[in-house]
Amino acid sequence: MISEGQPGGIDGEVLRRGELTVLGRIRSASNATFLCEAHLDDHETHCVYKPVAGEAPLWDFPDGTLAGREYAAYLVSAALGWDIVPYTIIRDGPAGSGMVQLWVDQPGDALDDDPDAGPDLVDLVPAGKVPPGYLPILQAYDYAGDEVTLVHADDIRLRRMAVFDVLINNADRKGGHILSGVDGRVHGVDHGVSLHSEDKLRTVLWGWAGKPVDDETLAQVAILRDDIRSGLGEALGEHVTGREIEALLARTVALLNDPVMPTPDRHRPIPWPAF
């Protein structure tokens, strides 16, 4: 029998207990990433599966830790209460243990052909033509050699995601890692290179750099701080090091003591490619 009272609801229980069937590989991902279907009784749901065995080695992150970092990022997101990271677990799958995350259904591609649809939440627009409600990030040239501006929406959902990225020290917030769901929510995915103890923040969400953080957001950050000092810190310790948990706690305290968003004053502050 399936219960709706568990984390992730019915889909979450299907994810935890259901049989995973691989539908195909997501080729755009740098690590082995699969679209799967989870089946349990008469229920099914789509999900993303990233086996630890398919993780490419990185020079600055320990081997075999990316799946755990994805799950740890979900735990931080859940503690903040912002529903940024889709429901995520660690479980066995067809290629061994790995991260399994609920799939985010997005509007159909037909919207991309609508000239009145407007830019995406993160987009490139012609230089000098930043749309109302958008914040410019940097000037660049597209593949045709035309000057363009990287922009993102001045949207509270993105602003919270920017704060979240500061807290988890996200080294890879690309525009393509920001998903607009059909339910109106905005989710962030691909957090395998996060929670390092050294400063590695790389993001396209620099529109609020140097701006104050609002009191409502700070109240949630304070809750996260307290959670890290209690049960959350222990849960995170199964997936990241003690030093990395101390660094996460230090980032929450630093933001509460000086509630201003950081500025991109470090080397390569934007991931490449940006999408």
Side-chain angles (χ1 to χ4, degrees), residues 116-123 125-126 128-136 149 151-155 158 208:
D116 299 322
D120 294 333
L121 288 172
V122 180
D123 214 335
V125 299
K129 296 185 178 180
V130 177
Y134 279 74
L135 302 172
T149 303
V151 300
H152 67 67
D154 188 2
D155 186 301
L158 290 188
W208 298 282

Side-chain angles (χ1 to χ4, degrees), residues 166-167 197 221 225 228-229 242-258:
V166 169
L167 295 173
S197 58
V221 175
R225 174 202 58 198
I228 295 170
R229 289 170 171 167
R243 183 178 178 184
E244 288 168 333
I245 296 171
E246 290 173 1
L248 169 64
L249 177 60
R251 289 191 293 270
T252 66
V253 173
L255 192 62
L256 291 168
N257 290 340
D258 183 17

Side-chain angles (χ1 to χ4, degrees), residues 106-252:
Q106 300 181 81
D109 291 337
L111 291 177
D112 296 336
D113 300 325
D114 183 357
D116 299 322
D120 294 333
L121 288 172
V122 180
D123 214 335
L124 293 173
V125 299
K129 296 185 178 180
V130 177
Y134 279 74
L135 302 172
I137 306 303
L138 61 77
Q139 300 295 118
Y141 292 92
D142 63 15
Y143 290 111
D146 296 323
E147 191 174 4
V148 294
T149 303
L150 176 66
V151 300
H152 67 67
D154 188 2
D155 186 301
I156 187 173
R157 299 168 299 178
L158 290 188
R159 188 173 64 190
R160 285 178 173 172
M161 188 180 295
V163 173
F164 173 69
D165 286 340
V166 169
L167 295 173
I168 68 166
N169 196 18
N170 190 356
D172 196 32
R173 175 63 73 204
K174 294 181 171 72
H177 297 169
I178 300 170
L179 307 181
S180 297
V182 295
D183 57 1
R185 298 177 180 176
V186 175
H187 293 287
V189 298
D190 288 325
H191 301 105
V193 286
S194 63
L195 292 163
H196 203 288
S197 58
E198 300 175 6
D199 177 22
K200 292 187 178 292
L201 180 62
R202 288 191 290 270
T203 175
V204 296
L205 300 178
W206 285 113
W208 298 282
K211 302 292 180 62
V213 181
D214 63 279
D215 291 341
E216 183 178 351
T217 296
L218 291 174
Q220 295 305 119
V221 175
I223 291 173
L224 173 64
R225 174 202 58 198
D226 296 341
D227 284 349
I228 295 170
R229 289 170 171 167
S230 54
L232 178 59
E234 183 176 348
L236 292 172
E238 298 181 17
H239 306 283
V240 297
T241 67
R243 183 178 178 184
E244 288 168 333
I245 296 171
E246 290 173 1
L248 169 64
L249 177 60
R251 289 191 293 270
T252 66

